[in-house]
Amino acid sequence: MKPIQVGLLGIGTVGSGTFNVLERNQDEIRRRAGRGIEITMVADLDTERAKSVVGDKAKVVGDAREVIANPDIDVVVELIGGYGIAKALVLEAIAAGKHVVTANKALLAVHGSEIFKAAAEKGVMVAYEAAVAGGIPIIKALREGLTANSIQWVAGIINGTTNFILSEMREKGLDFDVVLKEAQRLGYAEADPTFDIEGVDAAHKATLMSAIAFGVPVQFDKAYVEGITKLTSTDIKYAEQLGYRIKLLGITKRTDKGIELRVHPSLIPAKRLIANVEGPMNAVVVNGDAVGTTLYYGKGAGSEPTASAVIADLVDIARMDGSDPAHRVPALAFQSSTLREAGQELPVLPMTEVVTSYYLRIRVADEAGVLAKITTLLANAGISIDAVLQREADEVGGEGSTQTDLIILTHETREGEMNKALEEIQKLATVLAPITRIRKEELN
Ligand code: HSE
């Protein structure tokens, strides 16, 4: 069978990895795919760099539209990133009848509905394994391996930059700003790290997993997004003393009322396998009603790990090219005719409706009755306490200090109730600083 011809748009880190792994493993990949997969065209603004990667094995051009216009190209691999030109090129490639492979989570999380609809109308595939958790085949696991299940929840460490920062903060007792600079020096964090540290990148990935897990449209605009910039090494230390680690989790959960879709720092029991995922590694836990809890671990970024996912998509496309679209694995796991409309049946819940438990750190005057006042306000809101830790005042504020930290772990409650209780507690004259609240997930 004729090899499938691929055009790469962008040949930076992931593009070079894709080219190199395809070259290195071409015989095995051909035996698996049933036909060759050849990158015959590459578009990059830096044509010299592109030529230094592909030599004379592919035609290098500076204009991505030349790739899309080439009738010999069967698949366009978009590795440019962002919502701008990448969106236009993906839609143009679809309109030209090309299959598309993309690692662009931002594009799909925000414009996925439009892109998948255009692809369905044209009968082409849009594949995106590399968009979530890099080399971990989590899209395939959710969409195919777990297809028997009613998925209950998904929780993942899906941003390596923030996991590296949190790991360093815990191990070395350093503050966020210090570790961020170190992460930038080592190349784990970008010069502008906003998308990573503010949780946006993780929310893009959680949005995609939510859609595939529950058969709903991608709804990034409804995701709750909170990053790690306000976390202190003090909270990481206290959490550890209570048997927990703090991780930035992307969580999506099915409830009776709708779907939770949220990214925020979370305490998780230190004994869970996922709590021990350190450095820039990623991991995703999926709970299905039949299978129970499953865990997927690996590199969430990097040249060849991400190329591994891109090429897996290329192999799928090489096998399914020319097949009846109705017989393919649906892009969002559920047949498009059965996708629930946004907001219907399983709406994404506002954060006030989310039910979770909490870690509270409250800086208080170290005097009689303070704890009683706080626990009374929590009890009035129907919030049950799981554990309380009080530090020695000297340890917190230095010798002779009259202030201390109260750390309270609660049982599950609705976030709306917690917000009201915290407002009341904050008003107490004996509460001396803004209260720190971090959500807690048992993941069992
Ligand atoms: N910047 C991402 C991370 C990798 O730190 O995990 C690409 O999504």
Side-chain angles (χ1 to χ4, degrees):
M1 201 176 188
K2 176 177 155 294
I4 198 156
Q5 297 208 16
V6 178
L8 284 191
L9 309 187
I11 188 153
T13 311
V14 178
S16 326
T18 302
F19 188 83
N20 293 332
V21 175
L22 261 181
E23 280 280 297
R24 190 169 75 232
N25 296 341
Q26 58 180 305
D27 289 340
E28 279 189 77
I29 290 169
R30 184 186 306 108
R31 284 171 57 211
R32 290 186 174 124
R35 62 196 289 198
I37 297 174
E38 291 176 357
I39 295 175
T40 51
M41 243 184 133
V42 173
D44 200 292
L45 291 176
D46 188 343
T47 49
E48 286 314 309
R49 182 187 62 180
K51 280 180 192 153
S52 74
V53 178
V54 304
D56 56 7
K57 293 196 172 110
K59 182 176 176 196
V60 172
V61 295
D63 179 3
R65 291 194 163 95
E66 270 193 59
V67 176
I68 294 170
N70 183 342
D72 294 332
I73 294 290
D74 304 298
V75 190
V76 168
V77 179
E78 183 274 306
L79 298 172
I80 297 167
Y83 316 101
I85 185 70
K87 181 186 175 201
L89 293 172
V90 163
L91 288 171
E92 285 172 33
I94 291 169
K98 318 286 187 200
H99 304 296
V100 171
V101 174
T102 179
N104 192 336
K105 61 236 62 171
L107 177 63
L108 293 182
V110 177
H111 299 292
S113 296
E114 182 184 351
I115 289 167
F116 292 124
K117 185 163 173 276
E121 282 167 8
K122 201 72 191 172
V124 297
M125 291 173 261
V126 173
Y128 52 97
E129 183 64 72
V132 183
I136 304 174
I138 189 63
I139 301 297
K140 203 160 207 66
L142 279 169
R143 210 163 55 171
E144 298 178 52
L146 300 175
T147 197
N149 290 266
S150 168
I151 306 276
Q152 300 302 301
W153 52 265
V154 181
I157 296 171
I158 43 182
N159 182 270
T161 305
T162 44
N163 203 50
F164 173 81
I165 292 172
L166 293 178
S167 299
E168 290 287 295
M169 286 173 73
R170 185 182 69 81
E171 271 171 31
K172 301 182 179 159
L174 296 171
D175 279 327
F176 172 79
D177 294 340
V178 177
V179 179
L180 173 61
K181 284 205 183 75
E182 177 69 354
Q184 284 172 316
R185 195 182 63 76
L186 293 171
Y188 287 123
E190 308 213 13
D192 179 0
T194 315
F195 262 33
D196 291 318
I197 62 178
E198 297 293 357
V200 179
D201 175 76
H204 288 146
K205 296 165 183 168
T207 298
L208 289 172
M209 293 197 290
S210 176
I212 310 172
F214 304 123
V216 296
V218 286
Q219 296 168 81
F220 174 71
D221 56 333
K222 308 244 174 61
Y224 174 80
V225 190
E226 181 184 319
I228 64 166
T229 54
K230 296 193 183 74
L231 277 182
T232 65
S233 52
T234 307
D235 292 309
I236 292 174
K237 184 182 73 186
Y238 288 157
E240 188 145 49
Q241 290 169 1
L242 289 156
Y244 291 85
R245 297 239 168 118
I246 299 180
K247 296 289 183 187
L248 183 72
L249 287 187
I251 298 170
T252 187
K253 203 179 267 189
R254 182 198 296 269
T255 76
D256 292 343
K257 293 185 179 164
I259 294 169
E260 296 179 5
L261 175 55
R262 48 195 171 102
V263 170
H264 50 72
S266 305
L267 272 76
I268 47 181
K271 64 186 176 199
R272 299 268 177 271
L273 285 173
I274 192 171
N276 295 282
V277 171
E278 299 289 11
M281 300 303 283
N282 281 201
V284 183
V285 182
V286 183
N287 181 277
D289 67 336
V291 73
T293 301
T294 57
L295 171 68
Y296 309 83
Y297 168 83
K299 288 186 178 153
S303 178
E304 294 205 354
T306 312
S308 167
V310 169
I311 296 169
D313 281 343
L314 288 173
V315 170
D316 277 348
I317 288 172
R319 289 175 181 143
M320 298 305 289
D321 180 41
S323 65
D324 177 354
H327 295 158
R328 297 175 188 155
V329 178
L332 287 175
F334 291 71
Q335 299 294 338
S336 55
S337 58
T338 72
L339 282 184
R340 296 178 166 108
E341 291 295 315
Q344 277 181 3
E345 220 179 313
L346 274 181
V348 177
L349 297 172
M351 206 53 199
T352 47
E353 289 297 320
V354 162
V355 174
T356 186
S357 50
Y358 295 85
Y359 160 104
L360 307 174
R361 176 166 59 85
I362 311 175
R363 176 60 62 94
V364 294
D366 191 10
E367 58 190 51
V370 174
L371 181 60
K373 282 185 197 141
I374 292 171
T375 54
T376 302
L377 289 172
L378 287 171
N380 289 349
I383 298 169
S384 167
I385 292 170
D386 181 26
V388 178
L389 176 72
Q390 182 176 336
R391 307 313 306 165
E392 294 287 336
D394 287 359
E395 189 191 318
V396 172
E399 209 176 314
S401 170
T402 55
Q403 303 182 6
T404 191
D405 277 335
L406 265 181
I407 295 103
I408 298 176
L409 298 185
T410 75
H411 287 298
E412 285 190 338
T413 185
R414 233 171 34 89
E415 177 125 342
E417 305 308 322
M418 179 54 83
N419 290 346
K420 280 189 227 149
L422 287 183
E423 221 174 277
E424 294 304 311
I425 296 170
Q426 191 70 70
K427 284 184 201 153
L428 294 172
T430 42
V431 170
L432 306 174
I435 298 166
T436 298
R437 165 250 300 267
I438 307 173
R439 299 169 190 91
K440 177 167 88 66
E441 303 291 329
E442 290 298 323
L443 301 182
N444 52 13

